[in-house]
Amino acid sequence: KGHMHRRVLGCLYSSLHTLTKHHHSLSSKSLFTRPSSSSIFRSMSTSTTFKFAACQLLVSDDKQANLDNARKAIDEASSNGAKVISLPECFNCPYSNASFPEYAEEALTGPSSQMLSDAAKRNQVYLIGGSIPEKEGDNIYNTCLIYGPDGGLLGKHRKIHLFDIDVPGKIKFKESDTLSPGNTQTIIDTEFCKIGIAICYDIRFPELALLYNQKGAKFLVYPGAFNMTTGPAHWELLQRGRAVDNQLYVAAVSPARNPASSYQAWGHSTVVSPWGDVIATTEEKPGIIYADIDLKKVDEMRTNIPTSQQKRKDLYNVIEV
């Protein structure tokens, strides 16, 4: 019996020793072997949650300073874990009809597009480049350039609906004095979801958001610059409306308010959930806001309140022309 007892103990010790060595091997690999950044990025490709950052930038009349400021904000947002980052409308120049022709550049060869591409690649993020005045031939467009983690161009959205309004005694602005309208919808594919892109005044047109929804978008991003008249009244209201109408996330990204500017931006960059809740916002000063975009909440909302399946297409329909 004693002999058998020693043999059993010996086998147990040998097995325990082997398991311990295997455990230390696995622990050392997981604790001290750092995977490459590219493998980290690939490992997130099946995630249903990602961090979004909206950079509310103070814009001056110094174009290079504006680009430097944007680059720093992108780097900061990335360092804080954001995988999708958006800049505001007209992040590289003042918002004015006088400025649009002066600051306009060709979309893919100018300094703004080069900065955006480099920043997206360096940080391995999806970068929604707010908007810049884009020059093509005799036309100038209010254009958003979107870049992927490899620095490649994913999409280009030219503002479809131009901001031509006249509210007596409060504000009058006519973008069409200098800008031309875009004619295409813009949806980008990411490993997280499809994201619909539009600019500022585009948010007032629910048909565009509905078409993005019908094409599979779960997140809409609007770089925008509402003013001190329309901002307090409609900025948040329109975001919540588009979010609830389409049961998806909506973000609107504004410049910070610059007291020295002729056009006073409302600020208040905001992210809204599919339920219509404001999940991130700020005031008028420069800063970065963050929101965790949980795509399961989009699916949950669409399952619990299935409005997309209940539409009376025998009575009405929104179609692409």
Side-chain angles (χ1 to χ4, degrees):
K1 288 183 179 179
H3 178 67
M4 291 182 63
H5 182 66
R6 285 192 296 272
R7 287 184 61 188
V8 170
L9 285 177
C11 290
L12 288 173
Y13 177 81
S14 177
S15 299
L16 180 61
H17 182 65
T18 301
L19 287 171
T20 302
K21 285 178 63 180
H22 183 61
H23 170 74
H24 285 321
S25 175
L26 289 175
S27 298
S28 298
K29 185 175 182 180
S30 61
L31 290 175
F32 302 110
T33 303
R34 180 181 176 85
S36 67
S37 58
S38 59
S39 66
I40 293 173
F41 196 85
R42 286 195 301 271
S43 70
M44 298 181 63
S45 63
T46 59
S47 174
T48 59
T49 302
F50 62 92
K51 181 174 285 189
F52 170 76
C55 301
Q56 184 164 294
L57 306 177
L58 185 67
V59 179
S60 71
D61 57 4
D62 185 332
K63 186 174 185 177
Q64 187 56 53
N66 293 333
L67 295 182
D68 292 341
N69 191 28
R71 184 185 298 108
K72 291 176 183 176
I74 296 163
D75 291 346
E76 179 180 338
S78 174
S79 70
N80 286 326
K83 293 302 178 185
V84 180
I85 300 171
S86 180
L87 303 181
E89 182 181 22
C90 291
F91 78 89
N92 71 344
C93 74
Y95 182 83
S96 72
N97 277 318
S99 298
F100 297 149
E102 179 184 352
Y103 289 77
E105 60 186 73
E106 293 184 0
L108 303 183
T109 59
S112 299
S113 60
Q114 188 60 56
M115 184 278 292
L116 293 171
S117 175
D118 291 346
K121 184 176 183 179
R122 184 175 63 255
N123 291 288
Q124 292 192 317
V125 296
Y126 290 96
L127 181 56
I128 300 165
S131 78
I132 64 171
E134 176 205 357
K135 177 172 58 180
E136 184 179 77
D138 296 330
N139 294 324
I140 299 173
Y141 301 93
N142 190 343
T143 300
C144 177
L145 302 172
I146 308 102
Y147 290 89
D150 62 354
L153 184 70
L154 293 180
K156 179 173 76 170
H157 181 79
R158 290 171 170 171
K159 190 174 187 177
I160 296 174
H161 306 92
L162 297 183
F163 181 56
D164 288 3
I165 70 165
D166 185 358
V167 182
K170 294 184 177 181
I171 184 171
K172 181 178 181 179
F173 201 99
K174 196 174 182 181
E175 278 187 330
S176 61
D177 284 346
T178 55
L179 299 179
S180 297
N183 296 309
T184 57
Q185 304 165 37
T186 307
I187 296 178
I188 61 167
D189 284 308
T190 74
E191 71 255 45
F192 306 113
C193 67
K194 290 184 177 181
I195 302 176
I197 308 296
I199 298 174
C200 199
Y201 201 56
D202 287 338
I203 199 173
R204 288 188 179 273
F205 299 86
E207 299 86 353
L208 179 61
L210 179 57
L211 285 173
Y212 284 171
N213 177 6
Q214 291 176 354
K215 291 184 175 183
K218 293 187 175 182
F219 187 24
L220 305 182
V221 179
Y222 296 88
F226 274 37
N227 53 72
M228 297 299 292
T229 298
T230 61
H234 301 149
W235 176 253
E236 182 183 305
L237 176 66
L238 286 165
Q239 293 171 65
R240 297 181 70 188
R242 298 295 82 81
V244 173
D245 285 347
N246 297 286
Q247 301 176 316
L248 42 63
Y249 285 92
V250 171
V253 188
S254 172
R257 193 178 308 160
N258 186 345
S261 175
S262 62
Y263 182 92
Q264 293 292 292
W266 171 237
H268 294 77
S269 296
T270 299
V271 184
V272 178
S273 77
W275 190 258
D277 293 327
V278 173
I279 59 174
T281 192
T282 186
E283 298 291 331
E284 78 282 2
K285 294 179 180 177
I288 303 174
I289 63 169
Y290 300 88
D292 289 325
I293 306 300
D294 185 353
L295 300 175
K296 294 191 297 293
K297 292 187 181 299
V298 176
D299 299 333
E300 180 181 287
M301 181 74 171
R302 293 176 177 180
T303 298
N304 294 346
I305 308 178
T307 55
S308 63
Q309 301 171 31
Q310 297 167 333
K311 294 183 184 297
R312 289 291 306 276
K313 292 185 179 180
D314 57 320
L315 299 178
Y316 55 83
N317 201 8
V318 175
I319 60 172
E320 184 176 10
V321 297

